[in-house]
């Protein structure tokens, strides 16, 4: 008996079922509009949010993210509220932008004289950091899920129009500054304001601010700070490591199945490594170019100046802990972890000059 027709019929049935399954999966895919705090053309800083979207979209059939630059959906400094109320589905940012809303926010962004990336990741992922991070948003009524999604090494600590020969030169300066470091600069005598990245150069140009910090040398060069402020100061005492968050509206997050949630978290974990490596690879060429082609002078704070910054920071931390029980709880937990970590960190890593080719 000829069975070709039956075989063809069976093949058609299987193909149709597969097509239906695929179309069903596509229609079930969750779509997320994600606003970023950083323009996509900013290296390291802006490219990290684009890279996350590329990563999640390449591995997931459950969710798809679309990247939007600052201001396309909401202004950068309004992303938290917009994500919480559902105006946007997600936001890639740093919690330091919310320092004015929650005292502890800066502890999950950048801690002056705090942990470098390895130690900070250890506290965040293997101690209590992430638990407190989510609790901060929950306790303050924000309807968001937070995921650690980026991190890089220290930033520069400022671009100045005039050389800073002593701390007296800082008195009365108007400076763009970020997070907890801004509290320190205010105690030193600097008037600070928090500006989004795209607003900094115009403010420098028209004299609304005298100096600024923002990011790493390559990022800052991309924004053209060297055209106005030629003195670039190091080290980045205010941001020994900087963390970036993915905020997702909690209702949208809880509607996802476990596989989709895991895919987002895994994409963020990959983004952490990528973000850190890019920052480490691309900044020393940028420093050379800033000096050789743009006339930038690289300056280092003296030991005396760094001690003054640290003293001011410890005063700020003590004051915030006295007025905010949650800040105190998180700060104490971080300090306890750091005391334990020192047993490892102070012994395992080579001290300079042994770990630096510059001194060999």
């Amino acid at each position: 008996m000829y069975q070709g027709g039956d075989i063809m019929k069976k093949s058609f049935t299987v193909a149709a079922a597969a097509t239906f399954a695929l179309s069903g999966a596509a229609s079930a895919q969750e779509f997320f509009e994600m606003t970023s705090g950083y323009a996509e053309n900013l290296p390291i800083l802006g490219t990290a949010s684009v890279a996350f979207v590329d990563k999640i979209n390449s591995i997931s059939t459950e969710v798809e993210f679309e990247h939007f630059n600052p201001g396309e959906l909401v202004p950068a400094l309004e992303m938290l509220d917009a994500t919480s109320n559902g105006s946007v589905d997600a936001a890639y940012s740093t919690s330091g932008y919310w320092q004015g809303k929650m005292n502890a926010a800066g502890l999950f962004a950048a801690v002056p004289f705090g942990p470098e990336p390895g130690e900070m990741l250890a506290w965040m992922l293997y101690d209590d950091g992430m638990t407190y991070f989510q609790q901060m948003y929950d306790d303050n009524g924000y309807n968001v899920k937070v995921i650690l999604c980026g991190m890089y090494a220290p930033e520069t600590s400022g671009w100045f129009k005039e050389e800073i020969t002593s701390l007296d030169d800082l008195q009365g300066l108007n400076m763009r500054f970020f997070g907890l470091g801004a509290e320190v600069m205010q105690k030193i005598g600097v008037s600070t304001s928090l500006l989004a990245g795209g607003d900094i150069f115009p403010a420098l140009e028209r004299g609304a601010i005298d100096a600024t910090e923002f990011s790493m040398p390559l990022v800052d060069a991309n924004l053209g700070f060297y055209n106005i402020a030629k003195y670039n100061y190091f080290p980045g005492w205010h941001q020994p490591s900087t963390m970036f968050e993915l905020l997702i509206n909690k209702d949208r997050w809880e509607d996802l199945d476990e596989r989709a949630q895991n895919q987002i978290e895994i994409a963020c974990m990959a983004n952490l490594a990528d973000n850190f490596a890019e920052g480490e690879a691309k900044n020393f060429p940028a420093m050379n170019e800033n000096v050789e082609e743009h006339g930038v002078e690289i300056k280092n704070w003296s030991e005396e100046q760094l001690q003054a910054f640290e003293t001011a920071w410890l005063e700020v931390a003590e004051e915030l802990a006295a007025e905010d029980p949650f800040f105190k709880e998180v700060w104490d937990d971080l300090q306890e972890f750091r005391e334990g970590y020192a047993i490892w960190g102070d012994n395992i890593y080579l001290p300079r000059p042994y770990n630096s080719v510059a001194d060999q």
Side-chain angles (χ1 to χ4, degrees):
M1 179 178 178
Y2 178 63
Q3 296 179 331
D6 291 338
I7 293 171
M8 290 181 65
K9 183 177 180 181
K10 184 179 290 186
S11 298
F12 176 79
T13 301
V14 171
T19 301
F20 176 81
L22 287 172
S23 63
S27 64
Q29 189 175 45
E30 294 285 343
F31 182 77
F32 287 79
E33 291 185 331
M34 187 196 83
T35 184
S36 175
Y38 314 101
E40 62 189 342
N41 63 346
L42 276 180
I44 307 169
L45 197 57
T47 53
S49 57
V50 176
F52 162 73
V53 170
D54 290 343
K55 287 177 175 65
I56 185 59
N57 289 350
S58 71
I59 66 173
S60 181
T61 58
E62 315 286 323
V63 297
E64 181 179 349
F65 279 68
E66 183 175 1
H67 177 280
F68 291 88
N69 284 318
E72 290 183 336
L73 297 180
V74 293
L77 300 183
E78 297 177 16
M79 292 184 295
L80 171 58
D81 291 320
T83 306
S84 180
N85 65 33
S87 298
V88 297
D89 302 312
Y92 183 93
S93 182
T94 176
S95 61
Y97 279 159
W98 327 132
Q99 184 67 41
K101 300 174 182 287
M102 301 170 287
N103 285 330
L107 294 175
F108 305 106
V111 181
F113 297 93
E116 293 181 356
E119 184 180 359
M120 182 61 88
L121 276 176
W123 178 65
M124 291 294 291
L125 300 181
Y126 280 87
D127 198 68
D128 298 324
M130 283 306 303
T131 299
Y132 281 127
F133 202 5
Q134 184 64 57
Q135 182 184 339
M136 177 185 72
Y137 288 118
D138 293 344
D139 288 353
N140 284 276
Y142 290 104
N143 187 41
V144 296
K145 165 69 176 178
V146 63
I147 304 170
L148 189 62
C149 206
M151 174 180 278
Y152 58 48
E155 298 185 349
T156 83
S157 65
W159 295 78
F160 296 84
K161 296 177 182 179
E162 304 291 338
E163 184 176 1
I164 307 299
T165 58
S166 73
L167 292 181
D168 290 340
D169 294 336
L170 294 174
Q171 300 299 310
L173 283 185
N174 293 313
M175 187 172 185
R176 186 272 183 194
F177 223 93
F178 169 84
L180 291 167
E183 307 271 353
V184 176
M185 295 304 280
Q186 289 171 24
K187 192 168 281 289
I188 293 290
V190 177
S191 176
T192 70
S193 56
L194 180 60
L195 302 175
D199 298 328
I200 298 174
F201 184 87
L204 276 173
E205 191 173 38
R206 68 175 184 266
I209 55 175
D210 307 303
T212 188
E213 64 76 45
F214 182 60
S215 186
M216 293 175 143
L218 179 60
V219 182
D220 293 347
N222 188 274
L223 292 172
F225 297 161
Y226 58 75
N227 288 298
I228 299 173
K230 295 291 189 183
Y231 298 94
N232 191 196
Y233 275 77
F234 296 79
W237 58 266
H238 65 306
Q239 291 182 233
S241 61
T242 303
M243 294 184 287
F244 300 92
E245 62 186 5
L246 176 66
L247 297 173
I248 299 178
N249 176 270
K250 190 176 282 188
D251 295 331
R252 294 297 313 277
W253 173 260
E254 291 176 350
D255 282 344
L256 296 174
D257 63 27
E258 185 177 359
R259 177 185 292 271
Q261 292 176 348
N262 288 341
Q263 288 168 343
I264 293 171
E265 290 178 335
I266 289 168
C268 275
M269 187 66 71
N271 214 50
L272 279 169
D274 195 11
N275 192 208
F276 177 72
E278 185 182 12
E280 293 294 88
K282 293 183 177 179
N283 275 293
F284 64 86
M287 291 176 71
N288 287 331
E289 183 175 322
N290 284 343
V291 171
E292 295 169 5
E293 297 186 21
H294 304 307
V296 171
E297 292 192 35
I298 292 176
K299 296 290 184 178
N300 283 270
W301 299 113
S302 68
E303 185 64 30
E304 179 183 5
Q305 290 165 336
L306 287 173
Q307 288 176 357
F309 291 138
E310 184 177 24
T311 297
W313 159 239
L314 293 175
E315 291 175 3
V316 167
E318 184 177 355
E319 291 166 2
L320 290 173
E323 69 182 57
D324 187 328
F326 183 71
F327 182 98
K328 176 175 170 47
E329 185 176 351
V330 178
W331 175 244
D332 288 348
D333 189 88
L334 176 58
Q335 295 306 101
E336 181 182 2
F337 180 82
R338 298 202 73 193
E339 289 174 7
Y341 180 88
I343 299 171
W344 165 255
D346 291 349
N347 286 287
I348 198 64
Y349 293 107
L350 281 169
R352 285 184 176 273
Y354 304 105
N355 66 348
S356 174
V357 296
D359 297 314
Q360 294 177 10

